[in-house]
Amino acid sequence: AKQEKLSGIEVFDPELDKKLLENIQMEKKISSGIKNNEFFLLYQPKIDASTEQPVGCEALVRWQTPQGSIFPDQFIPIAEESKQIIPLGTKIMHLAGEQIAKWREQHFTPGHVAINVSAVQLLHGDVYGDYQDVVERYNLSPGEIQIEITESTTLQQLELITPMLTQLRDAGATIAIDDFGTGYSSLSYLKELPVTHLKLDRSFVKDLPESDALAIAKAISGLGHALNLIIIAEGVETKEQASYLKSLGYDQFQGYLYAKPLQPEQYSDFLNRISQN
Ligand code: C2E
Ligand code: CA
Ligand code: CA
Ligand code: CA
C-alpha cells in the first residue's frame, strides 16, 4: 500500500492504490493479448465530399479478451503510459499491412488505410522501421498507408518527432494530424511539419451549426487550404453536418452517416456497393 508521511500524518489513498494495481494488471494483459492475437482492426470508410466516392479508411483497433471486449478509450491510455503501445503499435501496423495484402489477392482496392500512431510510439518506438518492414513484407505502394497523429502531442514532442515524420513522408506515407483544434500545434509550427492532412475533431462536428463550432470549422478549413492540406471531418452523423462541412470546403468525411467501423469483408462489400451507384 502506498503511504506517505505528510507533516506527521499518515496519508493513505485506497483509490490510488486500486488504480495503480489495475493499471499493472492491464499492462500484463495487453502484453499477453498481443501474444495471443486478441487484437484486431476494424475499418471505417472515408468519403470524398464532392464525388461521394470512398477514398480509403481509418483502421481502429479492437481487443477481444477471453473475458469480453475492451474499447480503445479504456486501454490505449494505459498502453501509452506503460509503453505497451510500442509492441501493440508494431502489431497494428502489421495487421493493417496483412489486410491490405489480403484485399489485393481478392482484387479489391481499399484506398488508403490510415493508422493511428501515438506520440509515445514516435518518441520511443521505431515507427519508421515498422513502416519499412510492413511495406517490404506486404509489398505495399506509396500512399497506401496514412499515419494519424493526435494533436494532443505537445509542441516539444512535435519538434522531436519531426525528423521521423519526414522520413515516413519521404518513404511515401501521408500524414494526418488527428483531433485538430483540440491540441497545441501553433499555426506557425504547422507550416514546418511534413503533414498532408488535417482532421477536424469530432467535438466541433457534433456542435454544428452552433456559431462557435461553425467559426472553428471554418477557420480550420481556411488554414488547411492555405497550407495546401486535405481536410477531413470525422464523426459526421447527419446530412445537415455534412452539408455545412461541404459548404465550408471540407474534402473528406468519415462518420456514422456513411458507415461505422467495419470488419474487412463488410468494408469491401460497402465499397463495392457504393462504387456501383
Ligand atoms: P480517434 O482516432 O479520434 O477515432 C475516432 C473514434 O470515433 C473511433 O472510436 C470511432 O469508432 C468513433 N467514431 C467514428 N465515427 C463516429 C461517429 O459518427 N460518431 C461517433 N460518436 N463516434 C464515431 P474508437 O474506435 O473507440 O477509438 C477511440 C480512440 O482510440 C481513437 O480516437 C484513437 O485515439 C484511439 N485508437 C483507436 N485505434 C487505435 C490504434 O490502432 N492505435 C492507437 N494508438 N490509438 C487508437
Ligand atoms: Ca484517428
Ligand atoms: Ca480523431
Ligand atoms: Ca479522438
Side-chain angles (χ1 to χ4, degrees):
K2 179 161 180 144
Q3 294 192 342
E4 272 177 278
K5 265 209 154 90
L6 280 179
S7 52
I9 305 163
E10 292 272 292
V11 181
F12 174 65
D13 183 349
E15 271 306 305
L16 195 76
D17 221 45
K18 196 171 152 241
K19 187 110 199 71
L20 197 71
L21 194 67
E22 276 172 7
N23 284 7
I24 293 168
Q25 281 167 348
M26 180 73 94
E27 184 184 338
K28 284 197 184 134
K29 229 174 132 179
I30 293 170
S31 170
S32 66
I34 297 170
K35 288 189 201 90
N36 299 332
N37 292 314
E38 292 170 4
F39 292 94
F40 62 98
L41 298 176
L42 296 181
Y43 301 87
Q44 186 177 35
K46 295 202 231 170
I47 309 292
D48 181 280
S50 41
T51 65
E52 295 190 355
Q53 290 298 305
V55 290
C57 60
E58 176 178 9
L60 292 154
V61 70
R62 294 292 178 266
W63 186 11
Q64 185 63 51
T65 76
Q67 291 82 34
S69 52
I70 308 178
F71 273 89
D73 285 338
Q74 289 171 273
F75 66 85
I76 294 288
I78 296 169
E80 287 175 342
E81 229 173 282
S82 66
K83 301 216 166 65
Q84 282 296 321
I85 194 71
I86 293 169
L88 180 57
T90 301
K91 178 81 185 182
I92 287 168
M93 187 94 75
H94 278 266
L95 286 171
E98 192 182 7
Q99 186 57 56
I100 295 172
K102 268 189 206 156
W103 276 326
R104 192 193 307 126
E105 272 168 38
Q106 298 163 4
H107 306 287
F108 168 70
T109 312
H112 72 259
V113 176
I115 299 171
N116 290 284
V117 169
S118 82
V120 177
Q121 291 170 259
L122 289 159
L123 284 169
H124 306 290
D126 184 12
V127 177
Y128 178 64
D130 288 346
Y131 174 81
Q132 281 192 314
D133 286 348
V134 168
V135 164
E136 198 174 312
R137 179 149 176 194
Y138 300 104
N139 201 10
L140 305 184
S141 316
E144 277 192 293
I145 288 192
Q146 181 165 105
I147 304 287
E148 287 192 13
I149 55 167
T150 168
E151 205 208 359
S152 65
T153 313
T154 65
L155 276 184
Q156 198 197 0
Q157 288 173 328
L158 276 178
E159 201 149 31
L160 289 170
I161 66 183
T162 298
M164 187 171 282
L165 292 181
T166 304
Q167 280 183 312
L168 286 162
R169 182 74 202 99
D170 289 346
T174 53
I175 308 214
I177 303 215
D178 201 359
D179 303 335
F180 197 75
T182 60
Y184 310 94
S185 45
S186 78
L187 303 188
S188 59
Y189 204 81
L190 196 59
K191 197 162 56 80
E192 313 297 326
L193 286 175
V195 165
T196 53
H197 294 64
L198 284 189
K199 239 177 152 175
L200 175 71
D201 190 62
R202 188 168 84 214
S203 56
F204 305 114
V205 175
K206 183 170 67 60
D207 290 342
L208 286 177
E210 247 171 53
S211 64
D212 284 0
L214 201 60
I216 289 167
K218 191 173 175 182
I220 289 175
S221 162
L223 169 73
H225 285 140
L227 295 173
N228 266 321
L229 305 175
I230 294 170
I231 47 172
I232 310 165
E234 67 176 0
V236 179
E237 294 184 357
T238 69
K239 285 193 172 150
E240 194 193 19
Q241 290 166 348
S243 84
Y244 274 104
L245 290 161
K246 199 174 165 187
S247 73
L248 295 176
Y250 278 74
D251 300 300
Q252 296 172 5
F253 297 149
Q254 183 185 347
Y256 297 162
L257 175 62
Y258 306 97
K260 55 186 194 339
L262 304 171
Q263 294 285 353
E265 315 75 53
Q266 294 176 308
Y267 178 71
S268 50
D269 285 351
F270 177 88
L271 254 63
N272 288 331
R273 197 161 1 104
I274 194 169
S275 311
Q276 278 161 15
N277 292 333

